[in-house]
């Protein structure tokens, strides 16, 4: 053995890498014995053996050297061993002057642990995604968008009665969020895995009401589907039936609905067989049902059946704290939806706070979406608002004149900013009940509010 061969042998023997060198026929010339431990689980000497024989025995599956000899170019493959390991093999050919392969050098790296870690990481990633989804679902269950005491009380009542089957009647103007609260009640209940069937009683023509609500058998009437049709009440079985605008329910249907509610049994049109049903009833209306009872437009017995837990949702105009919160909430939500980052200018915010919101939460959400989609600037200024909204907003003219006076009295920017800041702190302290509300109102942190209050304490700002 020449000195060069001795040096090469020692390099391969002592290398941390798994190295094998074959001749042009695939006969192993040099290798470190530890190399083969990854294939057979024990150290053996394979010098002088053919890689084709080892491949046939399943020790190399497949052989990277055989692939290089066949294709006459470098290659990289993943091998599976008898011991269950995963090996990444890379091999390079060496050519003589005639272009014939005289040697193939291959390297084997055990990837088993790396693959295992990768699989564990992917599994962990899936679990994290699952946890995130659960957190979002829990958050969705808990989030009701309010700040006012009235809405907090409604939320507490909803949580208390959610896991009962008591009938809940939501009262309030159009757009206050009765449907949202009904869905939230269903989500918090033990029926949350069952269907939530929402029926708007004002949108179904009286002539079709009975067939839509109670369903019908095949051939029950002219024009009926051949297979019959399941009614909306049936669809709510094991879930929740939400009858919105219950005040629009035809008087002729009220007696039949009352019977279903009392007995939890239903008979389709054209059928002689009753079905036993299990559902929770939630209703909502913007009408005064008591007055409708007095006028004979609503059955007294049905009213008593529905009026088990009445919840009156106040209009948005009487709960200013919620207006501020909802403006910020829907701005964030719609910006996320359309991948934008538009903000309400403070003057715009003030106008929206003063606006009466006859359409309540529905009007507010629709307006914010419209402003974010149609305003070109990243800052939404009062000029983007509908003219009727600016006209109806109740401005504080005294404060406006104070701002004008500030501008007339001083051209010193630092002094002017300090006066405006002091004025805003005073205004916030009058409108808000705590430093946390002031922070939300002013768009700054609560510690900043406390620092500024201390700064202007001598100027009669009191909380």
């Amino acid at each position: 053995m020449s000195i060069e061969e001795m040096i090469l042998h020692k390099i391969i023997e002592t290398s941390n890498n798994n190295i094998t060198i074959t001749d042009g026929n695939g006969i192993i010339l040099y290798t470190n014995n530890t190399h083969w431990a990854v294939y057979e689980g024990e150290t053996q000497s394979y010098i002088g053996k053919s890689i084709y024989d080892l491949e046939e025995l399943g020790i190399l599956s497949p052989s990277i050297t055989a692939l290089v000899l066949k294709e006459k170019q470098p290659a990289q493959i993943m091998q599976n061993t008898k011991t269950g390991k995963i090996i990444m093999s890379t091999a390079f050919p060496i050519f003589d002057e005639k272009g014939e392969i005289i040697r193939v050098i291959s390297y084997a790296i055990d990837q088993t642990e790396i693959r295992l870690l990768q699989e564990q990481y992917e599994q962990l990633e899936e679990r994290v995604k699952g946890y995130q989804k659960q957190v979002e679902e829990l958050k969705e269950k808990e989030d009701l968008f309010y700040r006012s005491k009235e809405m907090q009380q409604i939320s507490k009542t909803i949580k208390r009665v959610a896991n009962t089957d008591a009938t809940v009647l939501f009262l309030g103007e159009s757009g206050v969020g009765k449907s949202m609260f009904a869905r939230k009640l269903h989500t918090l209940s033990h029926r949350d895995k069952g269907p939530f069937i929402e029926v708007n009683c004002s949108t179904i023509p009286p002539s079709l009401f009975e067939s839509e609500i109670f369903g019908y058998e095949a051939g029950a009437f002219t024009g009926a589907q051949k297979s019959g049709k399941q009614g909306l009440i049936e669809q709510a079985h094991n879930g929740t039936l939400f009858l919105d605008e219950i005040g629009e329910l035809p008087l002729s249907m009220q007696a039949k609905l009352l019977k279903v509610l009392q007995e939890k049994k239903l008979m389709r049109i054209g059928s002689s067989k009753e079905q036993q049903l299990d559902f929770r009833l939630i209703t909502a209306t913007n009408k005064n049902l008591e007055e409708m009872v007095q006028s004979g437009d609503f059955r007294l017995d049905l009213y008593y059946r529905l009026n088990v837990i009445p919840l009156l949702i106040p209009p948005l105009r009487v709960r200013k704290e919620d207006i501020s919160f909802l403006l910020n909430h829907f701005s964030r939500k719609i910006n996320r939806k359309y991948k934008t980052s538009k903000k309400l200018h403070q003057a715009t915010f003030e106008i929206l706070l003063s606006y009466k919101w006859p359409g309540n939460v529905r009007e507010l959400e629709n307006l914010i979406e419209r402003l974010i989609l149609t305003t070109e600037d990243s800052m939404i200024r009062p000029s983007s608002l509908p003219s009727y909204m600016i006209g109806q907003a109740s401005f504080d003219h005294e404060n406006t004149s104070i701002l004008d006076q500030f501008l007339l009295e001083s051209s010193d920017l630092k002094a002017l900013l300090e006066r405006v800041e002091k004025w805003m702190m005073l205004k916030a302290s009058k409108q808000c009940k705590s430093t946390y509300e002031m922070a939300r109102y002013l768009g700054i942190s609560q510690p900043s509010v406390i620092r500024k209050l201390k700064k202007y304490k001598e100027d009669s700002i009191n909380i």
Side-chain angles (χ1 to χ4, degrees):
M1 184 182 293
S2 67
I3 294 176
E4 288 78 7
E5 287 180 321
M6 290 173 63
I7 292 171
L8 177 61
H9 181 75
K10 183 57 68 175
I11 290 172
I12 294 172
E13 185 181 358
T14 59
S15 174
N16 290 326
N17 293 319
N18 299 317
I19 303 173
T20 295
I21 300 176
T22 71
D23 63 14
N25 296 314
I27 303 299
I28 297 172
L29 303 177
Y30 306 96
T31 184
N32 45 2
N33 291 338
T34 56
H35 179 168
W36 299 95
V38 300
Y39 289 99
E40 290 225 279
E42 58 184 26
T43 300
Q44 293 187 32
S45 176
Y46 283 89
I47 293 175
K49 294 189 177 181
S50 168
I51 51 93
Y52 294 108
D53 293 340
L54 297 178
E55 186 177 42
E56 192 173 336
L57 292 170
I59 297 172
L60 299 176
S61 180
S63 167
I64 184 72
T65 301
L67 183 63
V68 170
L69 290 171
K70 179 182 178 182
E71 298 186 354
K72 300 185 183 302
Q73 62 182 6
Q76 185 178 75
I77 61 171
M78 302 303 292
Q79 295 173 315
N80 296 298
T81 73
K82 283 184 174 181
T83 58
K85 292 183 179 293
I86 300 170
I87 309 298
M88 183 175 73
S89 289
T90 308
F92 303 90
I94 298 176
F95 298 92
D96 61 13
E97 296 85 353
K98 297 179 182 179
E100 298 295 329
I101 294 178
I102 55 173
R103 297 287 186 271
V104 176
I105 305 175
S106 64
Y107 305 89
I109 302 174
D110 189 347
Q111 297 278 300
T112 309
E113 288 188 12
I114 295 174
R115 278 297 182 92
L116 182 61
L117 286 172
Q118 185 179 7
E119 288 175 5
Q120 290 175 345
Y121 174 77
E122 288 172 356
Q123 290 172 5
L124 181 61
E125 216 173 24
E126 287 301 314
R127 288 172 65 186
V128 168
K129 287 179 182 177
Y131 292 144
Q132 286 174 338
K133 186 177 179 182
Q134 288 177 23
V135 168
E136 289 299 321
E137 288 175 352
L138 287 172
K139 186 179 177 184
E140 179 64 23
K141 283 188 174 185
E142 292 299 321
D143 280 349
L144 287 173
F145 309 119
Y146 58 83
R147 281 295 180 269
S148 61
K149 289 182 179 178
E150 299 93 336
M151 299 301 277
Q152 288 180 18
Q153 189 56 50
I154 290 172
S155 174
K156 287 178 182 177
T157 304
I158 285 175
K159 290 176 181 177
R160 278 199 301 270
V161 305
N163 274 321
T164 71
D165 277 339
T167 301
V168 177
L169 170 62
F170 288 108
L171 303 165
E173 296 178 3
S174 293
V176 292
K178 298 188 292 293
S179 296
M180 181 194 74
F181 279 103
R183 190 171 289 276
K184 190 62 60 177
L185 183 58
H186 169 75
T187 304
L188 292 171
S189 75
H190 64 277
R191 295 178 178 270
D192 63 328
K193 303 301 181 187
F196 178 84
I197 304 300
E198 182 173 352
V199 182
N200 190 321
C201 298
S202 66
T203 61
I204 304 175
S207 60
L208 299 177
F209 203 95
E210 186 175 8
S211 60
E212 290 294 318
I213 294 294
F214 301 103
Y216 56 83
E217 292 294 335
F221 52 85
T222 304
Q225 294 181 15
K226 291 182 179 180
S227 58
K229 184 177 180 180
Q230 188 181 47
L232 294 167
I233 297 178
E234 275 185 72
Q235 293 176 30
H237 183 56
N238 291 328
T240 300
L241 175 66
F242 173 47
L243 297 179
D244 196 8
E245 304 297 349
I246 190 69
E248 302 291 339
L249 186 69
L251 197 58
S252 59
M253 292 295 102
Q254 292 179 21
K256 191 166 184 180
L257 176 63
L258 179 63
K259 186 174 185 295
V260 173
L261 297 180
Q262 288 174 334
E263 301 177 4
K264 289 295 174 73
K265 292 180 180 179
L266 178 142
M267 189 182 295
R268 289 183 181 183
I269 299 172
S271 174
S272 57
K273 181 181 178 182
E274 286 188 324
Q275 301 178 56
Q276 191 74 40
L277 297 176
D278 176 25
F279 63 89
R280 199 246 184 95
L281 179 68
I282 304 173
T283 60
T285 183
N286 59 4
K287 293 191 173 184
N288 189 322
L289 294 184
E290 288 184 9
E291 290 182 359
M292 292 184 67
V293 169
Q294 294 296 325
S295 64
D297 295 319
F298 204 87
R299 291 180 62 103
L300 180 62
D301 46 6
L302 179 58
Y303 172 69
Y304 285 137
R305 175 65 63 176
L306 303 181
N307 197 43
V308 179
I309 301 177
L311 292 175
L312 176 62
I313 304 174
L316 194 54
R317 61 182 172 274
V318 303
R319 39 191 176 99
K320 294 287 186 182
E321 308 99 309
D322 292 343
I323 296 176
S324 174
F325 178 77
L326 289 167
L327 287 171
N328 288 319
H329 165 71
F330 286 122
S331 294
R332 288 193 299 269
K333 176 184 174 182
I334 295 166
N335 270 314
R336 283 197 304 269
K337 179 180 178 181
Y338 295 111
K339 295 180 175 59
T340 54
S341 56
K342 297 182 181 180
K343 296 181 179 179
L344 295 171
H345 189 276
Q346 183 62 36
T348 309
F349 201 87
E350 291 288 338
I351 293 171
L352 297 178
L353 279 178
S354 301
Y355 181 62
K356 300 303 181 184
W357 298 108
N360 293 294
V361 180
R362 187 183 298 126
E363 181 186 9
L364 187 149
E365 181 178 8
N366 290 342
L367 176 74
I368 295 299
E369 184 165 18
R370 169 185 167 183
L371 292 173
I372 286 175
L373 288 175
T374 60
T375 303
E376 293 183 4
D377 264 352
S378 60
M379 185 65 71
I380 302 172
R381 302 181 185 278
S383 57
S384 298
L385 295 174
S387 56
Y388 70 84
M389 187 167 285
I390 298 174
Q392 289 184 30
S394 55
F395 290 101
D396 190 334
H397 296 291
E398 182 183 348
N399 288 339
T400 304
S401 65
I402 289 173
L403 281 174
D404 293 337
Q405 186 179 340
F406 288 171
L407 293 168
L408 289 171
E409 288 177 357
S410 175
S411 59
D412 186 324
L413 180 60
K414 184 178 179 182
L416 180 61
L417 289 174
E418 188 169 327
R419 290 192 68 183
V420 172
E421 184 180 79
K422 189 188 301 183
W423 170 64
M424 287 296 294
M425 293 298 296
L426 176 60
K427 187 177 180 183
S429 69
K430 288 179 178 178
Q431 293 195 15
C432 303
K433 298 176 182 178
S434 69
T435 54
Y436 290 100
E437 285 188 19
M438 288 179 68
R440 287 194 298 270
Y441 177 79
L442 295 168
I444 59 178
S445 67
Q446 193 251 359
S448 296
V449 169
I450 294 173
R451 284 197 301 271
K452 293 180 188 297
L453 287 174
K454 289 179 180 178
K455 176 181 176 183
Y456 297 121
K457 189 175 182 181
E458 296 176 1
D459 295 305
S460 303
I461 293 182
N462 297 312
I463 294 291

